[in-house]
């Protein structure tokens, strides 16, 4: 498991060396881009238009275009020089209730793993936050981006959840109307929700489309045709109350078979 970022949690005078590890991995089927006529892999080359030659990674530097065709360049050492000590740590600005953070701000998750010798301090912070149901609001620089994040305590570890900044969140692009609903409709909706309520078990779910995609790959390898997987009939129920009633009936039937 590769370290995404070496850092340290900074809480006032407390300093806890940690590493950030990705919490997820990509398990989706990966396709290559091929030439339609030859089925050869399409290759991409980075070409300098002035030199008319391919540029390897060692020959590429970062540049910011401040005027059309004019760039100011930066080396990795120069980018490191503008980082402060605070930038190089996961600096907790303050603590807050988890409910204070709207779900729309969440971006990525990382495991916060203490470095050798920092285990006790990290565990102390985790237990204290968990007992008070608080999270740490923090900032750190990863690469050339300052990330806002939440340090979230769970059963055995701390999770760092990076956040979008408010300026990155777009307003709803279309007007949303709120039509009036009747009390019986609300009650039926609540009944529907109750009939479909059960404990969430993430182990019960997997990417079913990826299963069908892998099966389709095997079908193509065998030289057979792909069969349409969508065999469900059209739902002709257009009455809202009737649709909810039918949903409740189906849910009760499903639980009876479980």
């Amino acid at each position: 498991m590769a370290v995404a970022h070496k850092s340290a949690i900074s809480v006032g005078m407390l300093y806890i060396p940690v590493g950030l590890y990705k919490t997820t991995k990509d398990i989706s089927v990966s396709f290559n881009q091929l030439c339609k006529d030859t089925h050869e892999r399409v290759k991409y080359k980075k070409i300098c238009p002035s030199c008319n030659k391919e540029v390897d990674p060692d020959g590429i530097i970062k540049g910011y275009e401040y005027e059309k065709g004019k760039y100011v360049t930066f080396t990795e050492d120069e980018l490191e020089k503008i980082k402060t000590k605070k930038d190089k740590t996961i600096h907790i600005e303050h603590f807050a209730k988890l409910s204070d953070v709207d779900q729309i701000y969440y971006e990525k998750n990382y495991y916060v793993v203490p470095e050798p010798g920092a285990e006790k301090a990290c565990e102390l912070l985790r237990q204290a936050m968990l007992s008070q149901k608080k999270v740490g609001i923090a900032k750190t620089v990863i690469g050339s981006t300052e990330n806002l994040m939440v340090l979230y305590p769970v059963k055995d570890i701390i999770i760092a959840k990076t956040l979008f900044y408010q300026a990155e969140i777009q307003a709803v692009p279309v007007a949303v109307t709120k039509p009036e609903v009747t009390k019986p409709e609300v009650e039926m909706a609540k009944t529907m929700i109750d009939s479909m309520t059960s404990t969430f078990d993430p182990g019960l779910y997997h990417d079913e489309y990826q299963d069908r995609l892998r099966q389709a790959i095997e079908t193509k390898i065998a030289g057979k045709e792909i069969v349409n997987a969508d065999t469900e009939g059209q739902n002709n129920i257009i009455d809202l109350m009737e649709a909810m009633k039918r949903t409740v009936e189906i849910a009760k039937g499903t639980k009876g078979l479980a």
Side-chain angles (χ1 to χ4, degrees), residues 79-165:
L79 291 174
E80 279 297 313
K81 285 179 180 178
I82 64 173
K83 292 181 182 178
T84 65
K85 284 186 178 180
K86 180 179 174 182
D87 293 333
K88 295 177 182 178
T89 66
I90 301 169
H91 182 77
I92 295 181
E93 305 280 342
H94 66 93
F95 294 92
K97 295 178 182 177
L98 179 62
S99 58
D100 290 345
V101 185
D102 194 305
Q103 296 287 318
I104 198 171
Y105 290 100
Y106 289 130
E107 183 185 15
K108 298 176 183 176
N109 292 336
Y110 294 93
Y111 293 120
V112 178
V113 180
E115 294 290 299
E119 295 91 346
K120 185 172 182 178
C122 197
E123 176 61 11
L124 180 62
L125 179 62
R126 185 194 69 82
Q127 286 194 28
M129 287 196 295
L130 197 60
S131 66
Q132 292 189 304
K133 297 180 180 179
K134 298 285 179 68
V135 295
I137 307 299
K139 293 176 80 175
T140 191
V141 173
I142 300 177
S144 58
T145 304
E146 184 177 57
N147 291 266
L148 182 64
M149 59 174 52
V150 164
L151 296 183
Y152 181 75
V154 292
K155 184 180 178 182
D156 297 312
I157 204 166
I158 294 173
I159 302 293
K161 297 174 173 281
T162 59
L163 305 175
F164 291 107
Y165 287 100

Side-chain angles (χ1 to χ4, degrees), residues 25-90:
K25 60 182 179 180
D26 186 3
I27 60 171
S28 60
V29 171
S30 178
F31 286 102
N32 294 313
Q33 292 186 316
L34 309 178
C35 172
K36 183 179 178 181
D37 297 324
T38 65
H39 286 193
E40 290 287 328
R41 285 276 297 272
V42 175
K43 296 181 179 180
Y44 293 92
K45 295 182 178 180
K46 295 181 179 179
I47 306 293
C48 173
S50 297
C51 304
N52 197 28
K53 67 177 183 180
E54 186 176 358
V55 184
D56 60 32
D58 291 335
I60 297 175
I61 58 174
K62 287 185 169 76
Y64 177 79
E65 188 176 29
Y66 63 94
E67 287 182 16
K68 185 66 175 177
K70 293 184 178 181
Y71 297 87
V72 58
T73 62
F74 283 88
T75 64
E76 293 299 329
D77 286 342
E78 287 173 327
L79 291 174
E80 279 297 313
K81 285 179 180 178
I82 64 173
K83 292 181 182 178
T84 65
K85 284 186 178 180
K86 180 179 174 182
D87 293 333
K88 295 177 182 178
T89 66
I90 301 169

Side-chain angles (χ1 to χ4, degrees), residues 9 16-18 39 50 59 65 94 102 119 124 126 159 167 169 195 200 210 212 221-222 227 240:
I9 297 174
I16 310 171
V18 297
H39 286 193
S50 297
E65 188 176 29
H94 66 93
D102 194 305
E119 295 91 346
L124 180 62
R126 185 194 69 82
I159 302 293
I169 303 297
S195 71
F200 173 62
Q210 289 292 316
R212 293 195 298 275
I221 291 171
V227 178
L240 187 59

